[in-house]
């Protein structure tokens, strides 16, 4: 297994002369069954969001319009990636602190998740997250 925090997957493109069509399906871009989809849009200028980790949740993030920078932190290392294409998805597994920055005007970030919303799965305290990663 790669030790890279940023795990990008290709989203197959099935567009033609009429325009774009991107596909995320199980066994293709999606390595898990989707139980929830949400999208972040209309983000106010200068706003950053996220600032949490998940205990179990797996997600695939696709910026379907505009761009956004995602920063991932495993308790030791931080890596950042700009998502600016619906042809790339970012897989985020459990145990990663994530932040979303630099939303472009009109950016739409779609998130596919393998579980329903559950506040108990969140770690919202960064110090508690770091302690959990270091076995404290
Ligand atoms: P939150 O996860 O804090 O947003 P972000 O981490 O992207 O900044 O969610 C914001 C609010 O929306 C919070 O009250 C929880 C609620 N929410 C749901 O009810 N269902 C969901 O699937 C998500 C992602 C959030």
């Amino acid at each position: 297994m790669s030790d890279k925090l940023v795990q990008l997957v290709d989203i197959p493109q099935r567009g033609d002369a009429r325009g774009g069509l991107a596909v995320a399906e199980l066994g293709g871009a999606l390595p898990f069954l989707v139980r929830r989809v949400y999208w972040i849009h209309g983000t106010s200028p200068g706003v950053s969001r996220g600032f949490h980790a998940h205990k179990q949740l797996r997600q695939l993030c696709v910026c379907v319009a505009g761009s956004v920078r995602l920063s991932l932190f495993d308790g030791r290392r931080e890596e950042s990636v700009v998502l600016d294409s619906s042809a790339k998805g970012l897989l985020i597994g459990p145990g990663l602190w994530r932040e979303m920055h630099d939303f472009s005007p009109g950016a739409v970030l779609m998130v596919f998740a393998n579980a329903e919303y559950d506040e108990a799965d969140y770690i919202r305290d960064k110090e508690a997250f770091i302690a959990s990663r270091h076995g404290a």
Side-chain angles (χ1 to χ4, degrees), residues 36 38 40 49-50 52 100 117 122 124:
R36 174 167 54 111
Y38 63 92
I40 293 171
R49 39 187 321 162
H52 65 257
M100 291 161 263
Y117 176 76
Y122 280 69
R124 293 191 185 272

Side-chain angles (χ1 to χ4, degrees), residues 48-52 69-72 97-101 126:
S48 294
R49 39 187 321 162
F51 301 96
H52 65 257
R69 180 171 62 84
L70 273 102
S71 141
L72 301 176
W97 184 265
R98 83 287 313 272
E99 300 177 6
M100 291 161 263
H101 302 283
K126 193 171 186 181

Side-chain angles (χ1 to χ4, degrees), residues 108-125:
V108 181
L109 182 66
M110 297 269 303
V111 183
F112 303 87
N114 75 333
E116 295 86 343
Y117 176 76
D118 177 9
E119 185 59 35
D121 190 63
Y122 280 69
I123 305 172
R124 293 191 185 272
D125 181 302

